[in-house]
Amino acid sequence: MKYYVMTLFPEMVSEGLHTSILGRAMDAGIISLETVNIRDYSEDKHRHVDDYPYGGGAGMVMAPGPIARTYDAILEKRNKPDRPRVIYLTPWGKVFKQEDAKELAKEDDLVFLCGHYEGVDERVLEEIVTDYYSIGDYVLSGGELPAMVMIDAISRMVPGVLTNEESGDAESFENSLLEYPQYTRPEEWNGRTVPEVLLSGNHKKIAEWRTERSIDRTMQYRPELMEQAVLDKKAGKYYKERLKNSEE
Ligand code: ADE
């Protein structure tokens, strides 16, 4: 997987992503990241990339020219006959979910366009963008953080990025349940002990306990996810009991 990120803040993106699991995957050549500075494609002597909005109003709008030239430079570097998917990050886009991460991970390369100021001239969006994504219902100052969020989540779905041990975690979101609580040493900390069952060595009991805690958490924090939850017979029974108790 190769990512190209069109941005005014290339260091923010490359430095932010070159750590931990993604850093390891980049060093191993499984994924690669190329940031392209939109400002380098300004033809203005002051390297401006924005201008006043037609029709008036507050803030500045990113001009189409520098973005289109940045995109052309990427096409040239990429040197393939087809057009890549180009993702624009915006609060009005489709809300990004785990299933989107999985689907986008199948692409060979992805281009991200990070906007700033009050927005981007609509015409260049029409010309190059294929997908509009939001990472949630709040407004951020620019597209860099959302692009980084998406690149992290997508990369985890690219084969070879996670070790076998790590991919177990990803799978647990697959059944739409939230993670169960985790504990490590010491066995007693600040007067709080680790749940007995986790020390028992009984793997079946531990798995059941974890599923039940996942159900508890999901019911408490994201009850709407329970509709799509995939539960085995025993977990289904536990969920029904909990529902019944909460109705009483
Ligand atoms: N740009 C500004 N806010 C955003 C959001 N919530 N998601 C994606 N892009 C954005």
Side-chain angles (χ1 to χ4, degrees):
M1 169 68 85
K2 169 131 200 187
Y3 302 106
Y4 296 91
V5 182
M6 303 193 253
T7 171
L8 291 171
F9 301 96
E11 295 83 21
M12 174 181 179
V13 177
S14 51
E15 283 167 26
L17 288 174
H18 216 110
T19 50
S20 186
I21 292 176
L22 267 64
R24 183 184 72 195
M26 286 187 218
D27 292 341
I30 305 165
I31 58 173
S32 69
L33 172 70
E34 185 162 345
T35 52
V36 190
N37 193 338
I38 297 167
R39 205 173 291 285
D40 290 345
Y41 295 88
S42 167
E43 286 177 342
D44 183 280
K45 71 170 186 258
H46 301 292
R47 306 228 304 155
H48 284 150
V49 291
D50 59 332
D51 210 332
Y52 295 97
Y54 275 117
M60 302 291 273
V61 176
M62 284 174 74
I67 293 173
R69 287 189 290 275
T70 309
Y71 176 66
D72 288 341
I74 289 173
L75 290 187
E76 210 160 292
K77 276 186 217 211
R78 186 174 168 267
N79 195 24
K80 289 186 191 170
D82 63 327
R83 287 209 150 204
R85 274 172 91 168
V86 179
I87 296 168
Y88 178 58
L89 293 312
T90 166
W92 47 263
K94 174 173 185 263
V95 178
F96 180 63
K97 295 277 174 65
Q98 187 65 37
E99 68 210 42
D100 300 301
K102 242 177 135 174
E103 192 239 323
L104 290 166
K106 293 179 190 146
E107 300 290 328
D108 292 330
D109 39 28
L110 287 171
V111 180
F112 289 84
L113 169 59
C114 306
H116 260 270
Y117 314 115
E118 290 308 299
V120 170
D121 188 290
E122 190 70 17
R123 293 165 296 181
V124 71
L125 298 180
E126 288 168 2
E127 198 125 319
I128 71 171
V129 174
T130 59
D131 300 78
Y132 296 86
Y133 274 108
S134 163
I135 61 158
D137 290 340
Y138 36 78
V139 178
L140 299 165
S141 317
E144 283 75 12
L145 286 171
M148 290 161 74
V149 165
M150 285 186 65
I151 289 171
D152 188 308
I154 294 165
S155 298
R156 295 173 59 83
M157 297 292 110
V158 171
V161 169
L162 297 184
T163 62
N164 278 347
E165 239 166 60
E166 289 161 349
S167 48
D169 297 346
E171 233 118 287
S172 74
F173 204 102
E174 301 265 285
N175 59 15
S176 286
L177 291 179
L178 304 182
E179 283 297 316
Y180 47 79
Q182 295 275 25
Y183 301 86
T184 185
R185 290 194 290 183
E187 207 176 301
E188 185 182 328
W189 176 80
N190 245 9
R192 298 163 184 268
T193 54
V194 172
E196 204 55 59
V197 60
L198 299 179
L199 310 174
S200 70
N202 184 333
H203 296 295
K204 187 159 171 264
K205 278 255 154 23
I206 292 172
E208 277 168 23
W209 181 88
R210 285 179 164 168
T211 303
E212 290 175 3
R213 296 299 76 73
S214 283
I215 293 172
D216 293 345
R217 251 191 198 172
T218 312
M219 289 178 78
Q220 180 171 2
Y221 294 107
R222 299 289 305 278
E224 78 282 6
L225 289 180
M226 286 308 302
E227 282 169 35
Q228 320 145 48
V230 182
L231 303 178
D232 63 20
K233 215 166 153 195
K234 192 139 196 189
K237 204 168 144 211
Y238 176 79
Y239 176 47
K240 274 205 193 114
E241 292 279 306
R242 283 272 337 248
L243 270 183
K244 217 167 71 198
N245 290 343
S246 65
E247 279 160 13
E248 279 169 12

